[in-house]
Amino acid sequence: MTHAADDVTEHRHIFHVGSSHRDGVARRVNMKTMREYVSWLYYQYLLITGIYVLEPWEKSIFNAVLFTMVAMVVYTSYVFVPIHMRLALEFFSGLARGHLERTVALMS
């Protein structure tokens, strides 16, 4: 197994509750382990997006644009999804109500 694969396996099991705990209480994660995990996640972010090759000022611009886009999507979802869900519910309940009224009219 390669060193990178060992790192991935190690970080996957950071929060795993081992079977050696007889009382069933999860082990406490110290701040060093948490800091290492967050730095590993950031390293994965750099590798996946490919921004590890950029200069620091380019990274800042890229991260600012990405953060702005994510914030806009979250805000738009928060504002407009409930409105569209309500309109869809009204539309489909109107269809069901209209279908029931037509069925009753046919029966009488």
Short mmCIF file of all heavy atoms in Angstrom, two decimals, residues 25-64:
data_model
loop_
_atom_site.label_atom_id
_atom_site.label_comp_id
_atom_site.label_asym_id
_atom_site.label_seq_id
_atom_site.Cartn_x
_atom_site.Cartn_y
_atom_site.Cartn_z
N VAL A 25 -18.18 4.34 25.08
CA VAL A 25 -18.06 5.78 24.95
C VAL A 25 -17.03 6.09 23.88
O VAL A 25 -15.95 5.51 23.84
CB VAL A 25 -17.65 6.43 26.29
CG1 VAL A 25 -17.46 7.92 26.14
CG2 VAL A 25 -18.68 6.11 27.34
N ALA A 26 -17.37 6.99 22.97
CA ALA A 26 -16.44 7.36 21.89
C ALA A 26 -15.23 8.07 22.48
O ALA A 26 -15.33 8.82 23.44
CB ALA A 26 -17.14 8.28 20.90
N ARG A 27 -14.09 7.80 21.88
CA ARG A 27 -12.87 8.46 22.37
C ARG A 27 -12.90 9.93 22.01
O ARG A 27 -13.49 10.35 21.02
CB ARG A 27 -11.64 7.78 21.81
CG ARG A 27 -11.50 7.93 20.32
CD ARG A 27 -10.28 7.25 19.83
NE ARG A 27 -10.32 7.27 18.36
CZ ARG A 27 -9.34 6.87 17.62
NH1 ARG A 27 -8.26 6.41 18.16
NH2 ARG A 27 -9.44 6.92 16.31
N ARG A 28 -12.27 10.71 22.82
CA ARG A 28 -12.21 12.15 22.59
C ARG A 28 -11.16 12.44 21.53
O ARG A 28 -10.08 11.89 21.53
CB ARG A 28 -11.87 12.87 23.88
CG ARG A 28 -12.95 12.70 24.94
CD ARG A 28 -12.59 13.41 26.16
NE ARG A 28 -12.89 14.82 25.93
CZ ARG A 28 -12.50 15.78 26.72
NH1 ARG A 28 -11.79 15.51 27.78
NH2 ARG A 28 -12.82 17.02 26.45
N VAL A 29 -11.51 13.33 20.64
CA VAL A 29 -10.58 13.72 19.60
C VAL A 29 -9.88 14.98 20.06
O VAL A 29 -10.51 16.00 20.31
CB VAL A 29 -11.33 13.99 18.27
CG1 VAL A 29 -10.38 14.43 17.20
CG2 VAL A 29 -12.10 12.75 17.86
N ASN A 30 -8.57 14.89 20.20
CA ASN A 30 -7.85 16.07 20.67
C ASN A 30 -7.69 17.09 19.55
O ASN A 30 -7.94 16.80 18.38
CB ASN A 30 -6.49 15.68 21.29
CG ASN A 30 -5.61 14.96 20.30
OD1 ASN A 30 -5.84 15.00 19.10
ND2 ASN A 30 -4.59 14.30 20.80
N MET A 31 -7.28 18.26 19.91
CA MET A 31 -7.19 19.35 18.94
C MET A 31 -6.13 19.10 17.87
O MET A 31 -6.29 19.51 16.73
CB MET A 31 -6.89 20.67 19.67
CG MET A 31 -8.04 21.17 20.51
SD MET A 31 -9.57 21.31 19.58
CE MET A 31 -9.23 22.76 18.63
N LYS A 32 -5.07 18.39 18.22
CA LYS A 32 -4.04 18.11 17.22
C LYS A 32 -4.60 17.21 16.13
O LYS A 32 -4.38 17.46 14.94
CB LYS A 32 -2.84 17.43 17.89
CG LYS A 32 -1.73 17.13 16.91
CD LYS A 32 -0.57 16.44 17.59
CE LYS A 32 0.48 16.11 16.54
NZ LYS A 32 1.46 15.19 17.05
N THR A 33 -5.36 16.19 16.51
CA THR A 33 -5.96 15.29 15.52
C THR A 33 -6.96 16.05 14.65
O THR A 33 -6.99 15.86 13.43
CB THR A 33 -6.66 14.12 16.23
OG1 THR A 33 -5.72 13.47 17.08
CG2 THR A 33 -7.21 13.14 15.23
N MET A 34 -7.75 16.90 15.26
CA MET A 34 -8.73 17.69 14.50
C MET A 34 -8.02 18.63 13.53
O MET A 34 -8.44 18.75 12.38
CB MET A 34 -9.61 18.50 15.45
CG MET A 34 -10.71 19.24 14.74
SD MET A 34 -11.86 18.16 13.90
CE MET A 34 -12.98 17.87 15.21
N ARG A 35 -6.95 19.27 13.98
CA ARG A 35 -6.20 20.17 13.12
C ARG A 35 -5.58 19.41 11.94
O ARG A 35 -5.59 19.88 10.81
CB ARG A 35 -5.13 20.90 13.93
CG ARG A 35 -4.40 21.96 13.15
CD ARG A 35 -3.42 22.78 14.00
NE ARG A 35 -2.58 21.96 14.84
CZ ARG A 35 -2.55 22.03 16.17
NH1 ARG A 35 -3.33 22.87 16.80
NH2 ARG A 35 -1.74 21.26 16.87
N GLU A 36 -5.06 18.21 12.22
CA GLU A 36 -4.50 17.39 11.15
C GLU A 36 -5.57 16.99 10.14
O GLU A 36 -5.34 16.98 8.94
CB GLU A 36 -3.83 16.14 11.72
CG GLU A 36 -2.55 16.42 12.44
CD GLU A 36 -1.99 15.17 13.11
OE1 GLU A 36 -2.65 14.11 13.06
OE2 GLU A 36 -0.90 15.27 13.69
N TYR A 37 -6.74 16.65 10.63
CA TYR A 37 -7.84 16.25 9.76
C TYR A 37 -8.29 17.41 8.86
O TYR A 37 -8.50 17.24 7.67
CB TYR A 37 -9.01 15.72 10.58
CG TYR A 37 -10.17 15.24 9.75
CD1 TYR A 37 -10.04 14.12 8.93
CD2 TYR A 37 -11.38 15.91 9.77
CE1 TYR A 37 -11.09 13.67 8.15
CE2 TYR A 37 -12.44 15.46 8.99
CZ TYR A 37 -12.29 14.35 8.20
OH TYR A 37 -13.33 13.92 7.43
N VAL A 38 -8.42 18.59 9.45
CA VAL A 38 -8.82 19.77 8.66
C VAL A 38 -7.74 20.11 7.64
O VAL A 38 -8.05 20.45 6.49
CB VAL A 38 -9.13 20.96 9.59
CG1 VAL A 38 -9.30 22.25 8.80
CG2 VAL A 38 -10.38 20.68 10.41
N SER A 39 -6.48 20.01 8.03
CA SER A 39 -5.42 20.30 7.07
C SER A 39 -5.40 19.26 5.95
O SER A 39 -5.12 19.59 4.80
CB SER A 39 -4.07 20.38 7.75
OG SER A 39 -3.64 19.11 8.18
N TRP A 40 -5.72 18.00 6.28
CA TRP A 40 -5.82 16.97 5.25
C TRP A 40 -6.97 17.27 4.29
O TRP A 40 -6.83 17.13 3.08
CB TRP A 40 -6.01 15.60 5.89
CG TRP A 40 -6.14 14.50 4.90
CD1 TRP A 40 -5.15 13.89 4.18
CD2 TRP A 40 -7.36 13.88 4.48
NE1 TRP A 40 -5.68 12.93 3.37
CE2 TRP A 40 -7.04 12.89 3.52
CE3 TRP A 40 -8.70 14.04 4.83
CZ2 TRP A 40 -7.99 12.09 2.91
CZ3 TRP A 40 -9.65 13.24 4.23
CH2 TRP A 40 -9.28 12.29 3.28
N LEU A 41 -8.12 17.71 4.82
CA LEU A 41 -9.26 18.08 3.96
C LEU A 41 -8.88 19.25 3.05
O LEU A 41 -9.24 19.26 1.86
CB LEU A 41 -10.47 18.44 4.80
CG LEU A 41 -11.21 17.29 5.45
CD1 LEU A 41 -12.33 17.83 6.33
CD2 LEU A 41 -11.76 16.34 4.40
N TYR A 42 -8.18 20.24 3.58
CA TYR A 42 -7.75 21.38 2.78
C TYR A 42 -6.77 20.93 1.69
O TYR A 42 -6.85 21.38 0.55
CB TYR A 42 -7.11 22.46 3.66
CG TYR A 42 -6.65 23.66 2.88
CD1 TYR A 42 -7.58 24.52 2.29
CD2 TYR A 42 -5.30 23.94 2.72
CE1 TYR A 42 -7.17 25.62 1.57
CE2 TYR A 42 -4.88 25.03 1.99
CZ TYR A 42 -5.82 25.87 1.42
OH TYR A 42 -5.42 26.96 0.71
N TYR A 43 -5.88 20.02 2.04
CA TYR A 43 -4.93 19.48 1.06
C TYR A 43 -5.69 18.75 -0.05
O TYR A 43 -5.37 18.89 -1.23
CB TYR A 43 -3.95 18.54 1.76
CG TYR A 43 -2.94 17.91 0.86
CD1 TYR A 43 -1.96 18.68 0.25
CD2 TYR A 43 -2.96 16.55 0.61
CE1 TYR A 43 -1.01 18.10 -0.59
CE2 TYR A 43 -2.03 15.96 -0.23
CZ TYR A 43 -1.06 16.73 -0.82
OH TYR A 43 -0.15 16.16 -1.65
N GLN A 44 -6.71 17.98 0.30
CA GLN A 44 -7.53 17.30 -0.70
C GLN A 44 -8.24 18.31 -1.60
O GLN A 44 -8.34 18.12 -2.81
CB GLN A 44 -8.56 16.38 -0.02
CG GLN A 44 -7.94 15.20 0.67
CD GLN A 44 -7.21 14.30 -0.29
OE1 GLN A 44 -7.75 13.94 -1.34
NE2 GLN A 44 -5.99 13.95 0.04
N TYR A 45 -8.74 19.39 -1.01
CA TYR A 45 -9.38 20.46 -1.77
C TYR A 45 -8.40 21.06 -2.78
O TYR A 45 -8.74 21.28 -3.95
CB TYR A 45 -9.91 21.53 -0.81
CG TYR A 45 -10.23 22.85 -1.43
CD1 TYR A 45 -11.35 22.99 -2.25
CD2 TYR A 45 -9.44 23.96 -1.20
CE1 TYR A 45 -11.65 24.22 -2.82
CE2 TYR A 45 -9.74 25.18 -1.76
CZ TYR A 45 -10.84 25.31 -2.57
OH TYR A 45 -11.14 26.52 -3.13
N LEU A 46 -7.17 21.32 -2.33
CA LEU A 46 -6.15 21.87 -3.23
C LEU A 46 -5.85 20.91 -4.38
O LEU A 46 -5.71 21.33 -5.54
CB LEU A 46 -4.86 22.17 -2.47
CG LEU A 46 -4.90 23.31 -1.46
CD1 LEU A 46 -3.57 23.39 -0.73
CD2 LEU A 46 -5.23 24.62 -2.14
N LEU A 47 -5.75 19.62 -4.08
CA LEU A 47 -5.43 18.64 -5.12
C LEU A 47 -6.58 18.45 -6.10
O LEU A 47 -6.38 18.38 -7.31
CB LEU A 47 -5.08 17.30 -4.49
CG LEU A 47 -3.73 17.24 -3.76
CD1 LEU A 47 -3.58 15.88 -3.11
CD2 LEU A 47 -2.60 17.51 -4.72
N ILE A 48 -7.79 18.36 -5.58
CA ILE A 48 -8.95 18.09 -6.45
C ILE A 48 -9.22 19.26 -7.38
O ILE A 48 -9.51 19.08 -8.56
CB ILE A 48 -10.19 17.76 -5.59
CG1 ILE A 48 -9.99 16.39 -4.93
CG2 ILE A 48 -11.45 17.76 -6.43
CD1 ILE A 48 -11.02 16.06 -3.89
N THR A 49 -9.14 20.48 -6.85
CA THR A 49 -9.42 21.64 -7.69
C THR A 49 -8.22 22.04 -8.54
O THR A 49 -8.38 22.78 -9.51
CB THR A 49 -9.82 22.85 -6.83
OG1 THR A 49 -8.79 23.12 -5.89
CG2 THR A 49 -11.14 22.61 -6.12
N GLY A 50 -7.04 21.58 -8.19
CA GLY A 50 -5.85 21.92 -8.96
C GLY A 50 -5.29 23.29 -8.67
O GLY A 50 -4.44 23.79 -9.41
N ILE A 51 -5.73 23.92 -7.59
CA ILE A 51 -5.23 25.27 -7.31
C ILE A 51 -3.92 25.26 -6.54
O ILE A 51 -3.39 26.32 -6.23
CB ILE A 51 -6.28 26.12 -6.56
CG1 ILE A 51 -6.62 25.54 -5.20
CG2 ILE A 51 -7.52 26.30 -7.37
CD1 ILE A 51 -7.51 26.43 -4.37
N TYR A 52 -3.38 24.08 -6.25
CA TYR A 52 -2.09 24.04 -5.56
C TYR A 52 -0.97 24.58 -6.44
O TYR A 52 0.09 24.93 -5.94
CB TYR A 52 -1.76 22.62 -5.11
CG TYR A 52 -1.56 21.63 -6.24
CD1 TYR A 52 -0.30 21.37 -6.73
CD2 TYR A 52 -2.65 20.98 -6.81
CE1 TYR A 52 -0.12 20.47 -7.77
CE2 TYR A 52 -2.48 20.09 -7.85
CZ TYR A 52 -1.21 19.84 -8.32
OH TYR A 52 -1.05 18.96 -9.35
N VAL A 53 -1.21 24.68 -7.75
CA VAL A 53 -0.18 25.20 -8.65
C VAL A 53 -0.25 26.71 -8.80
O VAL A 53 0.61 27.31 -9.43
CB VAL A 53 -0.28 24.54 -10.05
CG1 VAL A 53 -0.03 23.06 -9.96
CG2 VAL A 53 -1.61 24.84 -10.70
N LEU A 54 -1.28 27.34 -8.24
CA LEU A 54 -1.45 28.79 -8.38
C LEU A 54 -0.60 29.53 -7.35
O LEU A 54 -0.23 28.99 -6.31
CB LEU A 54 -2.92 29.16 -8.19
CG LEU A 54 -3.91 28.55 -9.18
CD1 LEU A 54 -5.32 28.97 -8.82
CD2 LEU A 54 -3.58 28.94 -10.60
N GLU A 55 -0.36 30.78 -7.65
CA GLU A 55 0.33 31.64 -6.69
C GLU A 55 -0.67 32.06 -5.62
O GLU A 55 -1.88 31.96 -5.81
CB GLU A 55 0.89 32.86 -7.41
CG GLU A 55 2.01 32.50 -8.39
CD GLU A 55 2.65 33.71 -9.01
OE1 GLU A 55 2.52 34.81 -8.43
OE2 GLU A 55 3.29 33.54 -10.05
N PRO A 56 -0.18 32.52 -4.46
CA PRO A 56 -1.08 32.85 -3.35
C PRO A 56 -2.17 33.86 -3.71
O PRO A 56 -3.32 33.72 -3.30
CB PRO A 56 -0.14 33.42 -2.29
CG PRO A 56 1.17 32.78 -2.56
CD PRO A 56 1.22 32.61 -4.06
N TRP A 57 -1.83 34.88 -4.51
CA TRP A 57 -2.86 35.87 -4.85
C TRP A 57 -3.89 35.27 -5.80
O TRP A 57 -5.07 35.62 -5.74
CB TRP A 57 -2.23 37.13 -5.45
CG TRP A 57 -1.56 36.94 -6.79
CD1 TRP A 57 -0.28 36.55 -7.01
CD2 TRP A 57 -2.17 37.12 -8.07
NE1 TRP A 57 -0.04 36.48 -8.36
CE2 TRP A 57 -1.19 36.82 -9.04
CE3 TRP A 57 -3.43 37.49 -8.51
CZ2 TRP A 57 -1.44 36.89 -10.41
CZ3 TRP A 57 -3.68 37.57 -9.85
CH2 TRP A 57 -2.70 37.27 -10.79
N GLU A 58 -3.48 34.33 -6.64
CA GLU A 58 -4.44 33.65 -7.52
C GLU A 58 -5.35 32.72 -6.72
O GLU A 58 -6.54 32.62 -7.00
CB GLU A 58 -3.70 32.87 -8.60
CG GLU A 58 -2.93 33.74 -9.57
CD GLU A 58 -2.02 32.95 -10.48
OE1 GLU A 58 -1.45 31.93 -10.04
OE2 GLU A 58 -1.88 33.36 -11.66
N LYS A 59 -4.77 32.06 -5.73
CA LYS A 59 -5.58 31.21 -4.84
C LYS A 59 -6.64 32.04 -4.13
O LYS A 59 -7.80 31.62 -3.99
CB LYS A 59 -4.71 30.51 -3.80
CG LYS A 59 -3.90 29.38 -4.32
CD LYS A 59 -3.11 28.75 -3.18
CE LYS A 59 -2.13 27.74 -3.71
NZ LYS A 59 -1.31 27.16 -2.64
N SER A 60 -6.24 33.23 -3.67
CA SER A 60 -7.19 34.10 -2.96
C SER A 60 -8.35 34.50 -3.86
O SER A 60 -9.51 34.48 -3.44
CB SER A 60 -6.49 35.35 -2.44
OG SER A 60 -5.48 35.00 -1.53
N ILE A 61 -8.04 34.87 -5.09
CA ILE A 61 -9.10 35.27 -6.03
C ILE A 61 -10.00 34.07 -6.34
O ILE A 61 -11.23 34.19 -6.33
CB ILE A 61 -8.49 35.87 -7.31
CG1 ILE A 61 -7.86 37.22 -7.00
CG2 ILE A 61 -9.55 36.00 -8.40
CD1 ILE A 61 -7.10 37.84 -8.15
N PHE A 62 -9.41 32.92 -6.60
CA PHE A 62 -10.19 31.72 -6.90
C PHE A 62 -11.11 31.37 -5.72
O PHE A 62 -12.30 31.10 -5.91
CB PHE A 62 -9.26 30.54 -7.21
CG PHE A 62 -9.99 29.28 -7.51
CD1 PHE A 62 -10.47 29.03 -8.78
CD2 PHE A 62 -10.22 28.33 -6.51
CE1 PHE A 62 -11.16 27.86 -9.06
CE2 PHE A 62 -10.90 27.16 -6.78
CZ PHE A 62 -11.37 26.93 -8.07
N ASN A 63 -10.56 31.38 -4.51
CA ASN A 63 -11.36 31.04 -3.34
C ASN A 63 -12.47 32.06 -3.09
O ASN A 63 -13.58 31.70 -2.69
CB ASN A 63 -10.48 30.91 -2.10
CG ASN A 63 -9.63 29.65 -2.14
OD1 ASN A 63 -10.03 28.64 -2.70
ND2 ASN A 63 -8.46 29.73 -1.55
N ALA A 64 -12.19 33.34 -3.35
CA ALA A 64 -13.21 34.37 -3.17
C ALA A 64 -14.35 34.19 -4.16
O ALA A 64 -15.53 34.30 -3.80
CB ALA A 64 -12.59 35.75 -3.32
#
